[in-house]
Amino acid sequence: MDESNLKLVRAAELKHCRVAMLATVGWLWTATGTHFEGMLSTSSGVSFADVAAAGPLLGAAKVPAAGIWQMIAAIGALEVYWENKYPAAECGGDFGVPRVTQDPAKFKEARRC
């Protein structure tokens, strides 16, 4: 595997981990019954309380199709923006965050698994 493929795989792994963590937080948020106030969809008559009362899986099925498409469009727009700003084949998860150490030997030791 060459360096660009390794960076692409590393970026994909990091993204999938972050999505999984966000999904876990969302699941726990819904499972505890915590929800936003108001209506999720005024045209369909679905409130956030209705979705939270149904539980995480059945609640997701109550979201109207237009809401699902809005989420897909928003996520897609963010993906396009982020990929243009930090190409996965070049950056591979390095988003310019300062490292703990600047000493190459200590950094190499910290990266060991």
Side-chain angles (χ1 to χ4, degrees):
M1 182 178 291
D2 63 350
E3 187 67 26
S4 66
N5 281 344
L6 179 63
K7 287 183 178 183
L8 184 63
V9 170
R10 184 179 295 148
E13 181 181 9
L14 288 171
K15 187 174 291 186
H16 287 120
C17 290
R18 291 173 182 146
V19 169
M21 288 185 281
L22 187 60
T24 302
V25 170
W27 180 279
L28 292 173
W29 174 278
T30 306
T32 61
T34 308
H35 57 81
F36 295 112
E37 296 298 323
M39 299 297 288
L40 175 66
S41 172
T42 54
S43 61
S44 299
V46 179
S47 69
F48 286 107
D50 295 338
V51 173
L57 287 179
L58 294 175
K62 289 184 174 245
V63 177
I68 301 277
W69 284 110
Q70 287 174 356
M71 288 186 270
I72 290 171
I75 292 168
L78 286 171
E79 286 291 323
V80 168
Y81 169 77
W82 201 255
E83 186 63 27
N84 286 330
K85 187 172 182 180
Y86 300 107
E90 295 174 15
C91 298
D94 182 9
F95 301 120
V97 177
R99 293 180 171 80
V100 175
T101 180
Q102 297 300 323
D103 182 18
K106 288 183 180 180
F107 183 68
K108 187 174 181 181
E109 181 181 335
R111 286 188 66 179
R112 281 193 336 204
C113 295

